[in-house]
Amino acid sequence: MTDVIIVGGGPVGLLLACELKLGGAEPLVLEAATGGERVTRSLGLRSLNARTLHSLELRGLVEPLTEAQWRLFDQLATGSAPDRSDMVGMMTELLKKGMMRGHFAGLPLLEEHGGAEYAMLKQHQIEAVLAARASALGVPVRQGRAVVDVTQDAGHAVATLADGERVEAPYLVGCDGGRSVVRKRSGFAFSGTPPTMTGRTAVATLTGPGSVTSSLRSPGGLVNLSLVPGEIATIEFDGGPGDGSPDRDAPVTAEELAGSLRRVTGEDVGVARLEAGIRYSDNTRHADSYRKGRVLLAGDAAHVHSPIGGQGLNLGLQDAVNLGWKLALVARGAAPESLLDTYTAERHPVAARVLRNTRAQVAAMRPGAQVDALREVLSEVMALPDAERHFTGMVEGTDVDYAPTAPDPRTGRFTPPLTATPPEGPHDRCPQVPGAADSGVPGSGRRGSESPAAAGTGRPVAELLRDGRGLLLDLSGGADAAELTAALAGHHDRVSLAVAAPPQAGGGALLVRPDGYVAWAGAPGGALMDALTTWFGPAS
């Protein structure tokens, strides 16, 4: 029996399916495209920021993604360093050295001593890692199955496919992109601002290629030839294609790309051959809610914005890890439907902030002397320590706080990089999950990437969360273990106990959710019991 239909088999849909399966629910993924079609649309690179890497580390997925990244970089290696005027190429070189933490409107945020948490891959590489994970977990993924309608009643959501087949389940999640059929057919409001720019990325060959170089500040916009050799990208601040544009869905042609290159660079350049191309904009819109009854939205189906800054994929993957464990608990009857209300409550404000900062980045990328001056001032501001921390936290996703008014400041934040061990012994809590590998990037300085042997005692909390259950973390060194064990009565199928090693000053405990965020922090007592019921349902 299917508990949740996921419409869309991109990175967000695949990760959500894995989280649901890990949480004890039965998902089914319906993807309109085939694998080959998805690869041909995988142009450019997608960035994974620090918080997304922390989340993927909880499932042992960082290592295969990092290996894929370095295989790609080996394939793309040109053997020569980029010219210092090529900011795009320079940022890629900084990434390879572990110094790149992200950027704001092309102004880099750096970790001078290396060890930055940041990755860049082709989208189909990310999908391949997540598809392997889904397959290992036994998640059914049906490609070439386009959904054309979605309905729901009191007990089920129904997806109607292009061939007339109807598939039903208690819940359905739209992970089907910015033009989401699920969102449109389910009546979600999707308000925002129209596009102001047109971007194009293509696999193409230029005539007289030496006359064009990568630049964030060309006379008419942005041009990039250095991120992925053989791919050419331009951005023009021309008002965008708009929803009513007759060529919005037309294939990108060699003539169109050549015209864009001439307008952006001011050079008389031609395109001899174009194999594939995509068109995009900064159309910025946000669903009013992420849930209508039994239908929910995640990723671009819930929010779209400019790709400048590389935050869109991260935002969607964070939606998936927030929703997955909650929907799994509800779908299997362990928690009430009210738990799903926390999904919109937590993720909607995060997306609103991303939409705001990507609008700001578009404004700071426009050509012209005034914006040049703005960028100089902004660069000076970003060099101030407090401002650098602000911008870095924003683009890395590490400033997210789901409970800013909580009495304990740890509540609502991602769990700190602690080590711990279950009372029963160091190996009883963490069975190997199919499709997961031990994470950790050698030399990366990643939090929680230490091996148990290197840590001395205990295991990283990230590893203890690998089975998809919550974790009650005793910070007292075992002094409160008996009381905490008693508090967990009736929740052992959803939450496990571990003791921090070494103990933490002040003692107390942390209730860590399956997505790594702290649901509650404090001393054992009635507040802990309330938190267990709120986040994990009543005791069984």
Side-chain angles (χ1 to χ4, degrees), residues 419-423 458 464 471-479 481 497-503:
T419 56
T421 184
L464 296 176
L471 177 68
L472 183 56
L473 187 58
D474 179 0
L475 304 180
S476 71
L497 177 66
V499 180

Side-chain angles (χ1 to χ4, degrees), residues 197-200 220-223 233-237 260 264 280 307-308:
M197 71 178 213
T198 303
R200 298 173 179 87
L222 177 152
V223 60
T234 64
I235 292 179
E236 297 180 74
F237 298 91
S260 180
V264 168
Y280 49 91
I308 292 175

Side-chain angles (χ1 to χ4, degrees), residues 28 72 88 120 126 145 147 181 196 217 254 280 282 380 390 398 400 406 432 451 509 525:
L28 168 65
L72 174 67
V88 177
M120 294 187 75
I126 300 172
R145 309 300 288 166
V147 172
V181 170
T196 67
R217 309 296 298 154
Y280 49 91
D282 62 332
E380 294 171 359
H390 173 79
T398 53
V400 170
Q432 183 68 25
S451 69

